[in-house]
Amino acid sequence: MFLTLAYFASPLSREAVWQVFPGLATTAYAHPLGTALLFLVTSAVLTFLAFPSMPMICIAAGFYMDGFNGATTVLLGSAFGGLSAFLFYRQHIRRPDALLKQQSAVKVWLTLLGLRLSPLVPSPLVNFIAAIFDVSPLQYLTTSVLGGAPLVLFYAQIGQQGHHLLSGQTPHWQQFSGYLIILTLSTLLSAMGPWKSVLNELRQKGLTGSSNLSLHSTPGQ
């Protein structure tokens, strides 16, 4: 949003803005495999380190690659980077076994999917919750790809339409509107999942466990 407003508010022409990136688009299209590998590794590393710059990576992938191919590359890279972070968190987090036994596999799966579909929930928080519930790596990858696809595709379309606009081509606004509708529906669908009740139960269990710990420690003192 900021970049779009800055572009339209700037007195520079499209040709002047295009000269800011001399030769990058030509090089990217001339070496598609190298460009895809670059975005794959970059998205994986940034996701593992929890850097808040993933939207820019998605937009850049849509700009220098085809919108769908760029989105697929970033989606796979972020999924494997998030999986690495999830496995790292799981090794260093003490999981409440009593809470895990009360949750069904379907409810946990829907919770992760709902959190991934919501554009307002940070990915590091989802990794932390997945590590607490000790879901399987396959379950984590499935929910990450399915839940993160609408938002990644939407950002990649912004980059692709920006490339069309700067290069003098006609932007495909119908395609962009279609991805916007998909993102809106996925956001509404995320509000219908059981993830709020699961998080509330997790918070209540954590508060109960801390209070019991303080009560049991009093007689020892």
Side-chain angles (χ1 to χ4, degrees):
M1 182 68 68
F2 175 77
L3 292 177
T4 303
L5 294 177
Y7 170 75
F8 285 107
S10 175
L12 299 177
S13 61
R14 288 187 299 181
E15 290 77 12
V17 176
W18 183 258
Q19 294 301 324
V20 178
F21 311 99
L24 288 180
T26 304
T27 304
Y29 281 100
H31 303 85
L33 294 180
T35 304
L37 181 62
L38 175 63
F39 280 105
L40 181 69
V41 174
T42 303
S43 58
V45 172
L46 292 179
T47 303
F48 176 78
L49 298 177
F51 271 68
S53 57
M54 286 306 299
M56 296 303 301
I57 297 298
C58 299
I59 294 176
F63 188 90
Y64 291 110
M65 302 173 62
D66 179 73
F68 183 80
N69 294 333
T72 303
T73 302
V74 174
L75 185 63
L76 292 178
S78 59
F80 284 107
L83 177 63
S84 301
F86 156 71
L87 295 177
F88 177 79
Y89 295 159
R90 191 170 65 174
Q91 292 180 355
H92 298 83
I93 292 178
R94 183 179 179 182
R95 296 175 294 276
D97 297 334
L99 179 61
L100 296 177
K101 294 178 181 179
Q102 295 176 1
Q103 305 297 336
S104 63
V106 176
K107 192 173 183 179
V108 173
W109 192 89
L110 292 177
T111 299
L112 292 178
L113 184 61
L115 290 173
R116 286 297 186 189
L117 287 173
S118 177
L120 303 178
V121 180
S123 296
L125 178 60
V126 181
N127 296 338
F128 180 77
I129 295 174
I132 291 179
F133 284 104
D134 199 15
V135 301
S136 64
L138 180 60
Q139 191 177 29
Y140 176 88
L141 280 177
T142 303
T143 54
S144 297
V145 173
L146 294 179
L151 188 61
V152 173
L153 288 171
F154 177 74
Y155 281 133
Q157 276 301 309
I158 293 178
Q160 184 179 19
Q161 301 308 320
H163 183 274
H164 291 335
L165 185 63
L166 292 178
S167 60
Q169 303 178 16
T170 302
H172 302 159
W173 299 115
Q174 296 83 359
Q175 187 177 5
F176 178 78
S177 302
Y179 282 104
L180 179 60
I181 293 175
I182 294 175
L183 178 61
T184 303
L185 293 177
S186 64
T187 304
L188 295 177
L189 182 63
S190 66
M192 302 171 58
W195 60 274
K196 292 183 179 180
S197 61
V198 173
L199 292 183
N200 290 332
E201 186 175 353
L202 177 62
R203 183 179 59 182
Q204 292 175 2
K205 291 292 183 179
L207 293 177
T208 304
S210 61
S211 61
N212 290 336
L213 179 61
S214 61
L215 289 176
H216 287 296
S217 60
T218 303
Q221 296 177 355

